[in-house]
Amino acid sequence: MAVGIFDSGLGGLTVLDAVSKRLPRVPFVYLGDNAHTPYGVRDAGDVLELTTAGVAHLFNAGCDLVILACNTASAVALRRMQEGWVPRDKRVLGVFIPMIEALTERHWGDNTPPREVAVKHVALFATPATVRSRAFQRELAFRAIGVDVEAQPCGGVVDAIEDGDMILAKALVRSHVDALMRRMPAPEAAVLGCTHYPILGGVFQDALGPEVAIYSQASLVAESLADYLVRHPDKLGPGNRAQFLTTGDPEFVAGTATQFLRRKIEFESVRPG
Ligand code: DGL
């Protein structure tokens, strides 16, 4: 009954942590494509090719449902995968929609026309590819009117986190927040639109100030997955073993992952595709 979790690297572990706390009996198979991270500076074709290879590997590992715990893949590749690639008996879900539903005060399946919502000024921090895709603004416009979104492409942050260079990662976060706040001085809400960023959630909050509400993607995705599995129990695949897989160097990846999650994690090496 395994469920797959895919990310370009270590960021998806923030989602894995939340979903495994919410659904402790489900074995999750995590795949980080650390050999090809970051995705956020790649073009759409590249992201699609790498993401399909990773997801195909998770299908073969006994997962009928895979969560793209990567905003870049969710924004750039998911729709094309769902339209022509995902087999009928499998599902691939992204991490964008639960966040947008929370921001626009909607429940799953509410397809009523867009309406005014409480939040009017939203700061979006994401990778360059996610910002370029405008997927966040598009999904928001289907559900809400009158919301002003200021997006900051946070170049370099994923690379620094993956390298374990937290001093550089923190400095970059501060300078990206500063750049955004020069354009939008008083956002009411901030969306950390990259699953790596909650690792530096405290730095974002500190730089934004205590009055800015940061939306936690991981816990929203966990609730939405729990709800999905109640509606689709058949999507718990045949796999029965939790695993941590990486296309990168398993020892290096395990070291960085252990530092972020503050518990020991062993990774196995895989070569999808
Ligand atoms: N965690 C991925 C995301 O949520 C990072 C993408 C990247 O590799 O640049 O967008």
Side-chain angles (χ1 to χ4, degrees):
M1 54 182 236
V3 171
I5 307 281
F6 177 79
D7 184 37
S8 66
L10 293 165
L13 291 172
T14 59
V15 174
L16 176 93
D17 228 20
V19 292
S20 37
K21 274 190 194 118
R22 180 66 182 78
L23 297 159
R25 290 218 289 268
V26 175
F28 288 97
V29 182
Y30 186 87
L31 172 56
D33 189 11
N34 300 76
H36 302 108
T37 193
Y39 280 14
V41 293
R42 293 177 180 275
D43 65 32
D46 236 12
V47 173
L48 179 65
E49 195 179 314
L50 292 167
T51 305
T52 47
V55 171
H57 191 89
L58 286 166
F59 287 159
N60 291 334
C63 304
D64 287 348
L65 167 64
V66 173
I67 308 294
L68 295 186
C70 174
N71 289 270
T72 308
S74 303
V76 172
L78 179 59
R79 191 182 296 184
R80 280 164 75 191
M81 290 169 73
Q82 285 171 333
E83 278 168 2
W85 179 82
V86 180
R88 288 175 79 87
D89 59 335
K90 312 272 192 235
R91 282 286 180 283
V92 181
L93 303 175
V95 283
F96 247 65
I97 304 300
M99 169 82 95
I100 305 239
E101 284 174 347
L103 210 58
T104 57
E105 307 153 22
R106 279 183 188 242
H107 293 295
W108 182 87
D110 175 356
N111 292 322
T112 54
R115 55 179 181 253
E116 282 209 40
V117 293
V119 171
K120 301 281 182 229
H121 302 283
V122 177
L124 168 68
F125 298 95
T127 67
T130 300
V131 170
R132 210 168 43 237
S133 76
R134 298 186 63 80
F136 182 85
Q137 288 90 329
R138 197 172 49 240
E139 293 296 343
L140 195 69
F142 289 141
R143 297 167 175 84
I145 47 175
V147 183
D148 187 14
V149 177
E150 191 63 57
Q152 176 67 25
C154 297
V157 176
V158 168
D159 317 47
I161 292 174
E162 289 286 330
D163 290 346
D165 188 345
M166 299 315 276
I167 294 176
L168 174 60
K170 286 177 188 169
L172 287 170
V173 165
R174 286 193 197 99
S175 98
H176 286 305
V177 171
D178 199 52
L180 183 137
M181 288 181 94
R182 269 185 259 129
R183 305 194 302 272
M184 180 183 270
E188 297 151 285
V191 169
L192 304 189
C194 167
T195 53
H196 283 70
Y197 300 169
I199 292 167
L200 295 168
V203 184
F204 274 98
Q205 188 75 74
D206 198 46
L208 285 159
E211 60 290 339
V212 180
I214 294 186
Y215 276 71
S216 158
Q217 194 167 40
S219 56
L220 294 169
V221 169
E223 273 319 309
S224 155
L225 175 62
D227 189 48
Y228 182 88
L229 288 173
V230 170
R231 285 181 282 115
H232 302 276
D234 58 307
K235 285 291 168 290
L236 283 165
N240 56 15
R241 186 166 77 88
Q243 296 175 72
F244 289 90
L245 311 173
T246 177
T247 58
D249 171 359
E251 265 177 47
F252 181 79
V253 171
T256 324
T258 301
Q259 180 192 332
F260 292 149
L261 291 194
R262 298 193 180 90
R263 63 187 160 89
K264 191 153 174 54
I265 297 179
E266 307 275 2
F267 274 82
E268 295 166 43
S269 165
V270 290
R271 295 258 164 273

